[in-house]
Amino acid sequence: MSRTAASLRALPDRPESVVHGDLVPPNVHLDEAGHPVAVLDFGFCTTVGDPAFEAAVTAAVRDMYGPDAAHHTAELTRLFARELGHAEEVLDLYRKAYALITYDLIGTGPHDGHFRWCAALLR
């Protein structure tokens, strides 16, 4: 935890915007043509922060527990880094921060999938 906190403090000043913190398909409202028109469900982890935090979390939570989750996270991380200009190491750091702030929000202990997922991000 102390390494992650120190690394976050060492980041240069970053741009800020509203960060949803749980940007997954069910939280994106599409119109009839399939174009995104709104983001729903603000509240879980909504705050003001670096847009790279949103990209980092979105890359990881799109497929958290599936057999190809690590591959999907890596692919989305590379895509977001390339297309949005975020450094991959910053995205990895923000995922660790997300793990620290959400590890106990969903389940109640080490047998919960979210807890294990967060612990793995911190290893």
Side-chain angles (χ1 to χ4, degrees):
M1 186 169 100
S2 59
R3 282 192 311 259
T4 300
S7 295
L8 289 166
R9 282 192 295 276
L11 286 173
D13 287 339
R14 315 290 288 184
E16 292 184 343
S17 71
V18 173
V19 174
H20 185 274
D22 188 25
L23 198 55
V24 293
N27 291 340
V28 179
H29 182 70
L30 306 175
D31 65 14
E32 288 105 23
H35 300 106
V37 293
V39 176
L40 311 170
D41 188 30
F42 285 88
F44 175 69
C45 194
T46 301
T47 189
V48 172
D50 181 355
F53 180 87
E54 190 82 90
V57 173
T58 298
V61 300
R62 176 66 180 91
D63 176 12
M64 294 174 76
Y65 307 124
D68 297 317
H71 172 73
H72 293 150
T73 298
E75 286 292 312
L76 286 171
T77 297
R78 283 190 292 276
L79 174 69
F80 293 160
R82 184 179 70 245
E83 296 295 323
L84 302 174
H86 302 309
E88 288 187 40
E89 54 275 358
V90 170
L91 298 178
D92 290 337
L93 175 59
Y94 281 150
R95 277 193 286 275
K96 288 180 170 118
Y98 182 81
L100 288 172
I101 61 176
T102 68
Y103 73 90
D104 66 344
L105 291 180
I106 297 171
T108 58
H111 302 293
D112 169 63
H114 185 76
F115 180 88
R116 289 191 311 273
W117 180 83
C118 289
L121 285 174
L122 293 166
R123 283 194 193 101

